[in-house]
């Protein structure tokens, strides 16, 4: 039985003995169970240390190379675990080798070398441009950065229809919904306009927001969350989604009391968080 209480007969499933494969398999399963990754929705990528990868797989055995549509010189030689394009999060835990890949960006940054997984000719997530470009920007501002998660968190998508898409207004509303929020994302949530997914353009727009935010909302689609671990990236999305859920639960209701700006500022001070400027009126 896995930590999620799922009987998978996992001893017989190749890949689950690798800790970072298991972590992504359990994460994708959890997100699917939350209803955030219908069909093939969502994608995950996480930077891995060479030594860690080499402990579990032969890093000199390249299965195949895949040409990148956009060069990523900044990530040359970097190892990743990624979800596959068109793959269902529901299925990762029962067949990680078909649904996940472990890869390395070539020294010239033009290709990726598949070292493990993505069996049957599968390729990395269709949102690879957004993932790679986000990794590049987050690493510039945070050397500890490792993980990028995209999913279709339900309430934050719902909120993108009924709330103003102004970043500071959206962020303030989220902060007001749960006491923890200002501490978890004091820098606020970045928001891009609606764009066609899977493109270099949406990758560039997302990465541009990643210069100042760890989470970026794609209106009417989903959210990108980043962090120094998969747990951090997941926890960030989970917190934003929880706040959005409360917003949607109370929308249109008679609000009797709320957390004031003064209280939000007090909270940030108490936890050593620096709130994004221009949001609180105190
Ligand atoms: O299909 O979520 O944004 C995967 C996606 C695309
Ligand atoms: Zn998506």
């Amino acid at each position: 039985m896995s930590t999620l209480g799922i009987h998978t007969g996992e001893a017989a499933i190749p890949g689950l003995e690798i800790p970072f494969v298991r972590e992504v398999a359990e994460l994708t399963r959890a997100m699917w169970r939350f209803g955030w990754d219908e069909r093939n929705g969502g994608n995950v990528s996480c930077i891995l240390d060479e030594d860690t990868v080499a402990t579990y797989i032969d890093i000199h055995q390249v299965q195949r190379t895949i040409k990148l549509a956009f060069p990523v010189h900044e990530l040359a030689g970097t190892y990743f675990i990624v979800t596959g394009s068109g793959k269902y999060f529901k299925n990762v835990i029962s067949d990680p080798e078909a649904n996940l890949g472990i890869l390395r960006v070539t020294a010239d940054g033009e290709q990726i070398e598949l070292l493990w997984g993505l069996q049957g000719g599968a390729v990395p997530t269709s949102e690879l441009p957004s993932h790679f470009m986000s990794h590049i920007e987050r690493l510039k501002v945070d050397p500890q950065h490792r993980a990028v998660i995209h999913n279709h968190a339900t309430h934050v998508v719902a909120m993108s229809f009924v709330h103003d898409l102004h970043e500071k207004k959206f962020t303030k509303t989220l902060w007001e919904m749960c006491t923890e929020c200002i501490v978890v994302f004091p820098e606020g949530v970045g928001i891009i306009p609606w764009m066609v997914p899977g493109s270099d353009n949406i990758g560039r727009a997302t990465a541009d927001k990643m210069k100042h935010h760890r989470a970026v909302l794609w209106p009417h689609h989903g959210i990108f969350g980043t962090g120094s671990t998969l747990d951090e990236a997941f926890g960030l999305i989970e917190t934003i989604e929880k706040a959005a859920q409360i917003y949607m639960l109370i929308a249109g209701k008679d609000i009797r009391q709320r957390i004031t700006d003064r209280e939000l500022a007090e909270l940030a001070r108490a936890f050593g968080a620096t709130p994004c400027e221009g949001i609180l009126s105190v």
Side-chain angles (χ1 to χ4, degrees), residues 41-43 127 150-152 197 218 221-222 224:
N43 21 80
E127 300 295 0
H150 164 61
N151 67 33
H152 302 164
W218 286 8
H221 180 147
F224 266 73

Side-chain angles (χ1 to χ4, degrees), residues 169-236:
K169 289 184 189 168
F170 200 92
T171 295
K172 183 169 185 194
T173 299
L174 292 172
W175 285 354
E176 289 176 319
M177 294 301 110
C178 303
T179 295
E180 300 267 290
C181 283
I182 199 170
V183 179
V184 177
F185 51 98
E187 79 279 25
V189 175
I191 305 178
I192 61 165
W194 185 91
M195 293 174 81
V196 174
S199 62
D200 291 8
N201 277 349
I202 201 168
R204 267 187 284 276
T206 306
D208 192 50
K209 293 294 179 186
M210 290 291 180
K211 291 175 181 162
H212 302 289
H213 304 91
R214 287 166 301 140
V216 176
L217 171 67
W218 286 8
H220 325 319
H221 180 147
I223 189 160
F224 266 73
T226 67
S228 56
T229 61
L230 285 166
D231 266 356
E232 283 284 332
F234 175 73
L236 175 60

